[in-house]
Amino acid sequence: MPRLSEVIAELDALWPPERAEQWDAVGTVCGDPDAEVTRVLFAVDPVQEIADEALTLGADLIVTHHPLYLRGTTTVAAGHFKGRVVHTLIKNDIALHVAHTNADTADPGVSDALAGALDLRVTGPLVPENGLGRICELDPPQTLREFAERAAKRLPATAQGIRVAGDPDATVRTVAVSGGSGDSLFDAVRAAGVDAFLTADLRHHPASEATQHSPLGLVDAAHWATEWPWCELAAAQLDEISDRHGWGLRVHVSRTVTDPWSHHSSSGAPN
């Protein structure tokens, strides 16, 4: 079986840490480089539910998309929920490795996985300078309403579901996709001239301004749902690496929904 350091070297080759944004916190959070790895669990969030799942599964390594300590810390005391995760992992010899913005800009990366989940044909990056996002084509075209329903069916179910801005009967032939928060990308989306933009965490003012600029359709999904397909892509990549090296790793993808929103109540019509 491979050592943790050997597995991490391969993961860093897939998602080079130097490609991460300067503000990001990627790489190995905890783990003994010389420890053997037999089972790996992929997940979006390094929360207690995922640590407990890894323990039950017998995983030696968790790979998550989101960092545990994005803004740093001065303590890992178990009285805090993040410290409790660290204690669970270290006490049970479970390593944690993070690939965040370095996985967003990878090729293939987070947005490729999102496009693949919706069976879209990728034609290029949305932001060529750093490889963020993807421009895709639908074949055959759909209405914005149909495309949103497609996203609702193919992405993991969440309390938020799918929100749409724009004419629901407008024809969609080309789509920009970006896993995770995407409302900083509207300039690139407009420059791409696409019919719709699928992403997450769209705020009121950027979304309102975007719909005033052009007939662009907006499809807003839950942040977690747009990034979860990457876990399946990443797991398949590690499976291939394991086969190539004869490691015999057992690779799993968590189906635990760690999206923070737990319920959705539709509001009445405005007065």
Side-chain angles (χ1 to χ4, degrees):
M1 304 306 298
R3 292 177 299 162
L4 175 63
S5 59
E6 295 176 286
V7 178
I8 296 304
E10 293 289 350
L11 298 184
D12 283 346
L14 291 175
W15 318 299
E18 60 270 18
R19 287 183 61 89
E21 297 286 345
Q22 288 189 342
W23 52 261
D24 207 358
V26 303
T28 305
V29 178
C30 63
D32 180 351
D34 293 324
E36 285 191 348
V37 175
T38 61
R39 195 181 296 263
V40 183
L41 178 65
F42 283 86
V44 174
D45 298 299
V47 294
Q48 189 64 44
E49 293 93 330
I50 299 301
D52 292 340
E53 183 178 348
L55 181 58
T56 300
L57 190 63
D60 313 288
L61 169 62
I62 302 172
V63 180
T64 64
H65 183 51
H66 289 154
L68 179 63
Y69 287 109
L70 182 58
R71 293 175 177 82
T73 188
T74 59
T75 176
V76 293
H80 187 271
F81 72 94
K82 292 189 177 185
R84 211 160 50 243
V85 171
V86 173
H87 277 250
T88 300
L89 298 178
I90 293 177
K91 285 167 63 177
N92 294 282
D93 296 319
I94 303 171
L96 173 62
H97 186 78
V98 174
H100 192 210
T101 53
N102 49 329
D104 288 333
T105 57
D107 185 10
V110 172
S111 293
D112 295 286
L114 176 58
L118 272 67
D119 198 23
L120 305 176
R121 186 169 70 85
V122 173
T123 60
L126 174 61
V127 185
E129 295 79 11
N130 62 9
L132 189 63
R134 293 293 181 266
I135 298 173
C136 309
E137 291 184 349
L138 278 73
D139 188 19
Q142 293 183 300
T143 65
L144 181 60
R145 178 189 291 106
E146 291 170 335
F147 178 65
E149 291 171 352
R150 176 180 186 159
K153 290 177 182 177
R154 300 197 181 192
L155 293 179
T158 61
Q160 172 183 314
I162 304 292
R163 300 189 300 176
V164 178
D167 179 1
D169 295 319
T171 300
V172 176
R173 295 181 175 84
T174 56
V175 180
V177 302
S178 181
S181 304
D183 63 14
S184 65
L185 299 174
F186 276 126
D187 286 345
V189 171
R190 283 190 285 270
V194 294
D195 301 313
F197 180 32
L198 168 64
T199 188
D201 296 341
L202 292 181
R203 294 171 296 159
H204 174 88
H205 292 295
S208 177
E209 291 171 4
T211 57
Q212 296 300 313
H213 269 289
S214 71
L216 176 70
L218 303 180
V219 181
D220 183 48
H223 189 120
W224 174 85
T226 63
E227 294 180 331
W228 183 85
W230 172 80
C231 295
E232 291 196 317
L233 169 63
Q237 289 176 293
L238 183 56
D239 262 331
E240 189 278 328
I241 291 168
S242 175
D243 289 344
R244 184 173 3 114
H245 289 296
W247 285 347
L249 289 177
R250 287 161 287 182
V251 181
H252 306 264
V253 174
S254 175
R255 262 69 182 175
T256 302
V257 177
T258 55
D259 185 75
W261 304 106
S262 59
H263 179 71
H264 174 83
S265 295
S266 297
S267 58
N271 294 327

